[in-house]
Amino acid sequence: MELCEGCLMDVLRESMPPFAKRLEIAYDLMRSIAHMHRIGFVHRDIKSLNSFVADAEEEAEGEDTGVRLGDFGESVTFEAAVQEGPKIIGTSQW
């Protein structure tokens, strides 16, 4: 497993990143969601507490860093989601 510094919520509480960095964060999360959908899964609980920041030391070494989507406890296949029908899933505050 990849070492992450903490969740995105902690990072955003410290300070608001510059606009360009926020775009990178959004792009990383969209790539994660797109990958899940490509392999036939729905996350169903996307929030800053389930988004993890990769290790900053790797960024200094030129390795890929960014935000990673985690906590797949509510994830199901598209077929299972359709069979369940409409329902509220995840954290209501988000």
Side-chain angles (χ1 to χ4, degrees):
M1 295 183 78
E2 183 175 13
L3 174 65
C4 291
E5 294 181 358
C7 72
L8 182 57
M9 178 176 252
D10 294 338
V11 170
L12 296 176
R13 277 186 182 158
E14 290 176 14
S15 67
M16 183 60 68
F19 182 72
K21 186 63 177 175
R22 292 189 307 236
L23 286 177
E24 289 176 27
I25 290 168
Y27 179 75
D28 288 343
L29 290 173
M30 294 302 109
R31 282 183 41 208
S32 297
I33 295 166
H35 178 72
M36 285 194 72
H37 290 182
R38 267 193 308 277
I39 61 174
F41 286 87
V42 183
H43 190 280
R44 306 194 314 178
D45 196 19
I46 297 170
K47 59 187 176 186
S48 56
L49 287 170
N50 292 339
S51 304
F52 300 94
V53 180
D55 190 356
E57 289 180 18
E58 291 179 3
E59 185 174 24
E61 296 170 9
E63 296 181 31
D64 182 34
T65 63
V67 177
R68 309 292 190 253
L69 188 58
D71 190 357
F72 302 100
E74 295 291 338
S75 299
V76 295
T77 63
F78 281 118
E79 293 81 19
V82 169
Q83 287 177 356
E84 285 181 356
K87 66 189 245 183
I88 297 173
I89 302 289
T91 309
S92 60
Q93 294 91 339
W94 271 261

